[in-house]
Amino acid sequence: MIDIQLLGLLNATLQAATLLFIAALGELITEKSGILNLGVEGMISIGAVAGFITAVNTNNIFFAVIVGVLSSAIFASIHAIVTVVLKQDQTVSGLILTILGLALSSLIGKNYVGKKLDTKLESLFSINDPSNIFEVLLSQNIIFYISILFMILISYTLKNTMFGRRFEAVGEDSKAADSMGLNVIKTQFIATCLGGAFAGLSGVYLTLSYVPYWTDNMTAGRGWIALALVIFGGWKPYRTALGALLFGFLEALVPRLQTYGFELNPYIVKISPYIITILILVLLTIYKDGKTGAPKNIGIPFFRENR
Amino acid sequence: MNKYTLSKRQAVNELSTFYSFIAGFLIALIIGSIILLAQDKNPIDTFSLMFRLSIGSVNSLSSSLNKATPLILAGLGIAIINTVKLWNIGAEGQIFMGAIGVNFLYINLSLSNSTIFIILLLLSAFLGGAFCILIPALVKVLFGVNEIITTLLTNYIVIGLTIYLVNGPWKDPDSLNFPAAAYVGKEVYLPNIFGKLSYGFLICILFTALAHYLKNKSVFGYEMRIAGGSEMTAVYAGINAKQKAFLAMLIGGGFAGLAGGVELLSQTHRVSTGISQGFGYTAIIIAAITGMRPIGIFLVGTLFGALSIGGSVIQTIGVSTYIADIIQASTLFGALIIQFFFNYKLLKVDDD
């Protein structure tokens, strides 16, 4: 017989991890191709608000997910145009994408603060009060299974298919990839928009299931934690998933420590995810001695010299 | 069939950043107009109202300059840190920490000479900002931990700390349900030069000059530039790159802390979560748009201060204040797009 509290902890861990993991997976693809996109926070926010508004107005949850994902992908294309096509600074562009995304989503969502959803993103099987690990695993939200599917699919694609190997080729040495006849611009453009699409999926999960409502700045730094996760995962999908589970576990654990008899200041509980992220990032960097395994061309715009 | 290829321009026009900014601002106004039209608001009426209410009178101009002060100071901090090619995304947290630094010293010290007291309080704000970036700076130079993520995350930590302080140990019982610390005494208010214009703006001018000197004229600025360049050059020049980077980060954090201190002593007069409304993020836009030039930061910061005032007053006619944020961010995107045409030219090549 497993403690019901432990099952609750597992459940909360999986939910928090899913949210972070999907966004991190998208950023992983983008960064693999050599493009750093610091706009994750803004892209999640755009997807979150677009999905929520669509769901409130149409009551069609499937359509809402599609709209949220596409909105973020289109939003990410701003970054693609500015950095991939026009070769401007990726750090600057990504930061502004976050600022613009947060402001734009607040503007669009102004009349939807406090609105209630009639339909939510549901779990695959409805199990009330799961009483063992399998029931917890089976009662997860549909996005959880989708993210596992994507993890396997993306890991396989990046390693074993022509389409996927391109991203790494371009991200490691864009000039060599170019001389091999790969279309660098196109590859990086696709990778950036894919990153946006996944951030959007994370966003709709946030507003259509995890929370589920809309309010300003509700992403609360998750986009940045996702960025840290990519570093943690060493640009590998499975390790990133492990990292997401670890972060999700800690995020779920700290507020529950009280039930295990620890006295905790609620304000410290609130900021613990950010402290934990910094701590893990520092430990990891020390452990790896600064060699993180980042794509070699990350942040460097591709430019073909005149011949 | 013709193909096009890109060519890097050998000499980029010195004023290209300025031209790009102007063009970017125009693009942003167009985007702002579209958003206003979508909300059934007349853009020309709205913009002229914003213009009038932000710089149309001495009073409103003073408000704009007061608003610009923290934006400029935080922007200067970002620019100083960028001299060593590092990013400070933590200005927002440093602003809060500066205000916390002021209140901390105010509670624990009392001086009869208010001029010296104010100077000490501002020094405490500077130290608060520097303290806020201490951990990111340390782990950056010691272990090479990505400073973009660590400085950003400290924002959430410091704002969490602020919420704790104003709900807990510093909570003013007289503020009723609004969580805030007690007001500081009138004797430490930063006085106004004339009308509503605070002495904070004078401090802002002084620190713009200081930042310009530090970055472009001083030996330290020269050393910072080398430290931010290649490792080999720094070694060859006998410059301790890590030490310079560390110092640059603390000084830059201090500038943003000072922004919080000035804001507290001249505007809010107490610590609350309203000390900064995203000033640290707007400062990033300002610093980036000017290519990290202190004088440019001063000018664009002034414009953005006016834009923020304009943005907050048009709320009364039912326009979201976010329109100012969107115009600011779009300006930078527009400028980045235009900058491309200064850096590259499209060449037509015949297909072979």
Side-chain angles (χ1 to χ4, degrees), chain B residues 74-351:
Chain B
L76 294 171
I78 292 164
I80 287 173
I81 296 178
N82 196 264
T83 320
V84 288
K85 292 285 171 288
L86 294 178
W87 279 92
N88 174 22
I89 317 300
E92 184 77 358
Q94 290 143 23
I95 291 172
F96 276 97
M97 208 58 178
I100 290 173
V102 167
N103 204 47
F104 177 77
L105 189 66
Y106 181 78
I107 293 173
N108 291 300
L109 183 77
S110 77
L111 280 182
S112 52
N113 186 329
S114 62
T115 311
I116 295 176
F117 201 9
I118 289 175
I119 291 173
L120 284 180
L121 290 174
L122 290 176
L123 184 70
S124 179
F126 191 94
L127 292 176
F131 174 73
C132 185
I133 203 174
L134 183 66
I135 302 282
L138 268 178
V139 296
K140 176 74 203 185
V141 297
L142 289 181
F143 314 119
V145 180
N146 184 318
E147 85 285 358
I148 294 178
I149 296 176
T150 52
T151 53
L152 184 283
L153 291 174
T154 49
N155 290 344
Y156 290 97
I157 296 171
V158 175
I159 290 169
L161 172 71
T162 310
I163 294 173
Y164 164 67
L165 287 172
V166 298
N167 282 292
W170 284 0
K171 182 164 173 42
D172 177 18
D174 294 338
S175 73
L176 301 172
N177 285 325
F178 184 74
Y183 285 104
V184 294
K186 283 215 164 56
E187 72 279 5
V188 293
Y189 282 19
L190 265 178
N192 292 344
I193 306 173
F194 59 81
K196 280 163 84 181
L197 183 64
S198 161
Y199 263 99
F201 189 65
L202 195 68
I203 295 173
C204 175
I205 295 175
L206 281 175
F207 273 77
T208 305
L210 177 67
H212 177 72
Y213 171 77
L214 258 184
K215 215 174 136 74
N216 300 322
K217 307 279 176 205
S218 70
V219 177
F220 180 60
Y222 170 75
E223 290 173 336
M224 281 196 296
R225 276 198 299 283
I226 292 192
S230 90
E231 206 175 316
M232 287 308 290
T233 319
V235 171
Y236 185 70
I239 286 168
N240 186 341
K242 287 184 172 177
Q243 185 202 43
K244 303 298 167 208
F246 184 67
L247 272 177
M249 285 182 93
L250 292 194
I251 294 172
F255 268 68
L258 185 66
V262 169
E263 185 68 7
L264 190 153
L265 293 182
S266 71
Q267 307 298 324
T268 67
H269 304 303
R270 62 173 172 179
V271 175
S272 77
T273 51
I275 282 285
S276 168
Q277 298 109 35
F279 298 158
Y281 299 107
T282 310
I284 297 171
I285 302 183
I286 296 170
I289 220 165
T290 59
M292 305 287 170
R293 295 175 179 86
I295 311 281
I297 289 170
F298 181 80
L299 297 174
V300 175
T302 306
L303 175 74
F304 277 21
L307 206 55
S308 295
I309 288 288
S312 57
V313 289
I314 56 168
Q315 260 182 310
T316 46
I317 60 161
V319 179
S320 167
T321 59
Y322 290 108
I323 199 85
D325 289 356
I326 290 170
I327 289 177
Q328 288 162 353
S330 305
T331 302
L332 182 45
F333 270 129
L336 285 174
I337 291 169
I338 303 300
Q339 186 68 43
F340 166 78
F341 295 100
F342 281 106
N343 294 340
Y344 298 91
K345 55 187 169 192
L346 272 175
L347 292 178
K348 209 185 248 184
V349 288
D350 295 326
D351 211 1

Side-chain angles (χ1 to χ4, degrees), chain A residues 31-110:
Chain A
E31 292 192 11
K32 265 281 186 210
S33 79
I35 299 294
L36 174 71
N37 188 353
L38 297 177
V40 186
E41 182 89 357
M43 299 188 299
I44 296 178
S45 204
I46 290 287
V49 76
F52 187 78
I53 290 176
T54 314
V56 168
N57 286 324
T58 65
N59 267 330
N60 184 335
I61 208 80
F62 179 71
F63 184 57
V65 172
I66 302 285
V67 169
V69 168
L70 283 182
S71 305
S72 291
I74 293 168
F75 188 62
S77 73
I78 299 178
H79 187 67
I81 291 169
V82 170
T83 64
V84 177
V85 180
L86 302 179
K87 303 168 199 328
Q88 300 297 313
D89 191 294
Q90 295 173 13
T91 307
V92 173
S93 174
L95 285 172
I96 307 312
L97 201 68
T98 284
I99 296 173
L100 185 64
L102 291 175
L104 210 54
S105 55
S106 297
L107 181 88
I108 304 168
K110 200 178 56 172

Side-chain angles (χ1 to χ4, degrees), chain A residues 164-179:
Chain A
R165 307 268 316 185
R166 274 178 199 206
F167 293 110
E168 190 170 332
V170 166
E172 289 296 320
D173 190 342
S174 56
K175 292 220 165 98
D178 178 55
S179 61

Side-chain angles (χ1 to χ4, degrees), chain A residues 222-241:
Chain A
R222 290 194 177 86
W224 296 97
I225 297 180
L227 277 160
L229 267 180
V230 178
I231 300 176
F232 180 91
W235 289 264
K236 293 185 170 69
Y238 290 115
R239 274 198 224 168
T240 306

Side-chain angles (χ1 to χ4, degrees), chain A residues 281-307:
Chain A
L281 214 53
V282 170
L283 291 175
L284 183 84
T285 315
I286 295 171
Y287 173 70
K288 293 205 168 168
D289 199 18
K291 290 184 264 303
T292 51
K296 288 197 184 59
N297 257 0
I298 199 154
I300 305 166
F302 165 69
F303 171 67
R304 185 193 284 163
E305 297 291 338
N306 264 334
R307 277 171 295 185

